[in-house]
Amino acid sequence: MEMDMDSIFREYGLNGIEAQLGELFPTLQIDLETLLKQAFTGDIKGALTGVVQMTFGSVITDLASLKNTFLLLLLMGIGAALISHFIRIFDKHQVADAGFYFLYLYMAAVLMKCFFSAAHTAAEAIRNIVAFIQAFIPAYFLSVGIATGTMTAGAGYQIILLIIFLVEKILLTLLMPLINSYMLLAVLNGCLSEERMTLLESGMEKMIRFLLKASLGIVAGISTLQSLLTPAIDSAKTGLLQKGLSAIPGVGEVTDSVVDMAFGAATIIKNGIGFTALLLLIAVALPPLCKLLLTAFVLKAAGAFMGLVSDKRMSTCADRVGNAGRLLFQTVGTSFLLFMITISVAAFTTNR
């Protein structure tokens, strides 16, 4: 087994990929050989357990820091309610308004700091996903080419390049600034007693969600259409070659069996590398996704509890910044799903 693994690593260039992934993600401690062995032996539980262990520590650290943000927002909401009601006992309403805006600006500063930290995490996560795909996918589509055919491998690789372009130009360059603008509108809207920017916020949120769904639908459709055609063409070519070899007198049956064994082994290697790629993609994407989800949940929960005692504008602002955090989560999740769907479709449709 050791010789087989060494041979696979050498022939598919996995040694260089493991070193490259170690430089890109030093905190994950990736053991590519162990993951491949678990894939070849069908040890799904062990592989998933290893991925969870790689990501569990960072999620716990993020949860502890978000707890402090949640408590701070609650205290500000309670403080704003107490100050407002206490000062309104007197006839100095302008003092109460000044006290409210002071606390509102302080809360906005806390929310913006939390959000921009999450936005940095989201942008870094998207770049890490793209970097991982650029490092690992050439070896996977090399295995697809050996197991299925060059046409399928070439078409799949072109789709991956299209998705990388889509993620970098649409999600990272266009949608991330739009989400930042949505968050700033939510903060500014709370300063206005009539909330004049509500319709603009709603329209921007709908546009962001539409672009995310459209990109996911387009890539899923292209991957499905490609998988219906190119594997069939490569399979027909391989079947024709196999029938020609089996027709050779004397050695035809032996040749046919050898070809079947060779393609069967290549398919197992392809699926093992594809399964490992999916596991590592999960390991790369899971920590930032958990952090973004927890951030959105904490901000929306803080807004909900603040709404019980504090001014509506403060609770609404926290809730809408939480919506912006949820949009960040959906953006990173979409980039993750784009590559996950493409690899899964390629693996499923190229089995013999």
Side-chain angles (χ1 to χ4, degrees):
M1 188 67 183
E2 290 297 331
M3 281 299 295
D4 291 340
M5 292 301 298
D6 291 341
S7 179
I8 291 171
F9 266 66
R10 184 176 61 256
E11 292 175 2
Y12 290 90
L14 295 177
N15 286 320
I17 293 174
E18 187 173 29
Q20 189 174 356
L21 292 178
E23 294 176 359
L24 289 172
F25 313 107
T27 58
L28 288 181
Q29 298 179 351
I30 296 172
D31 188 352
L32 195 55
E33 183 174 350
T34 300
L35 287 176
L36 275 175
K37 285 181 179 179
Q38 290 171 335
F40 291 150
T41 57
D43 186 10
I44 309 299
K45 181 179 178 181
L48 290 175
T49 302
V51 169
V52 172
Q53 289 175 349
M54 278 191 280
T55 59
F56 185 73
S58 60
V59 173
I60 295 299
T61 304
D62 295 333
L63 184 61
S65 62
L66 288 172
K67 181 184 71 174
N68 297 331
T69 302
F70 176 75
L71 293 176
L72 181 59
L73 290 173
L74 280 185
L75 289 175
M76 282 190 290
I78 295 172
L82 292 176
I83 292 174
S84 177
H85 289 299
F86 177 75
I87 295 180
R88 288 186 188 277
I89 296 175
F90 308 97
D91 292 331
K92 303 293 184 180
H93 294 291
Q94 61 270 26
V95 178
D97 292 338
F100 165 77
Y101 283 116
F102 174 78
L103 284 173
Y104 182 86
L105 291 175
Y106 183 62
M107 181 200 70
V110 174
L111 289 174
M112 291 172 68
K113 180 181 178 182
C114 184
F115 173 82
F116 283 125
S117 175
H120 176 75
T121 299
E124 192 67 23
I126 293 174
R127 294 190 188 97
N128 286 341
I129 290 173
V130 171
F132 166 76
I133 291 297
Q134 289 174 334
F136 202 94
I137 285 303
Y140 174 64
F141 279 104
L142 174 62
S143 67
V144 171
I146 294 173
T148 306
T150 55
M151 182 175 291
T152 301
Y157 195 73
Q158 288 176 358
I159 291 176
I160 288 292
L161 293 178
L162 173 64
I163 297 174
I164 290 174
F165 175 81
L166 179 67
V167 168
E168 290 182 336
K169 299 301 180 182
I170 303 298
L171 300 188
L172 199 57
T173 305
L174 177 62
L175 287 190
M176 290 296 293
L178 280 177
I179 296 173
N180 292 340
S181 301
Y182 171 81
M183 185 277 301
L184 292 175
L185 284 177
V187 172
L188 292 174
N189 200 23
C191 296
L192 306 174
S193 57
E194 298 179 1
E195 296 190 353
R196 299 178 183 178
M197 300 182 184
T198 302
L199 292 178
L200 183 59
E201 284 181 49
S202 177
M204 187 174 292
E205 182 178 2
K206 289 178 181 178
M207 181 176 64
I208 293 170
R209 294 185 187 279
F210 171 77
L211 289 174
L212 290 174
K213 292 178 181 178
S215 60
L216 194 59
I218 290 171
V219 170
I222 293 174
S223 298
T224 303
L225 290 175
Q226 175 267 328
S227 68
L228 293 175
L229 182 61
T230 54
I233 295 174
D234 280 329
S235 179
K237 291 179 179 178
T238 304
L240 184 63
L241 175 63
Q242 191 171 354
K243 287 181 180 179
L245 293 174
S246 63
I248 299 176
V251 295
E253 294 183 2
V254 176
T255 304
D256 192 26
S257 300
V258 170
V259 170
D260 278 336
M261 290 178 60
F263 278 111
T267 301
I268 293 174
I269 294 173
K270 171 189 69 70
N271 288 342
I273 294 176
F275 176 74
T276 304
L278 292 178
L279 283 180
L280 292 177
L281 183 59
I282 293 172
V284 170
L286 188 59
L289 282 173
C290 290
K291 181 178 180 179
L292 294 171
L293 183 62
L294 288 172
T295 300
F297 174 78
V298 164
L299 294 179
K300 291 186 72 66
F305 281 104
M306 288 167 65
L308 299 175
V309 294
S310 187
D311 190 282
K312 180 183 177 182
R313 286 174 289 177
M314 296 186 72
S315 60
T316 302
C317 178
D319 181 72
R320 288 175 180 168
V321 175
N323 287 340
R326 188 171 60 184
L327 290 175
L328 291 176
F329 169 79
Q330 292 174 345
T331 302
V332 177
T334 299
S335 66
F336 165 72
L337 287 176
L338 290 175
F339 294 113
M340 178 72 78
I341 290 172
T342 304
I343 296 173
S344 300
V345 169
F348 180 76
T349 58
T350 54
N351 287 328
R352 290 175 59 84

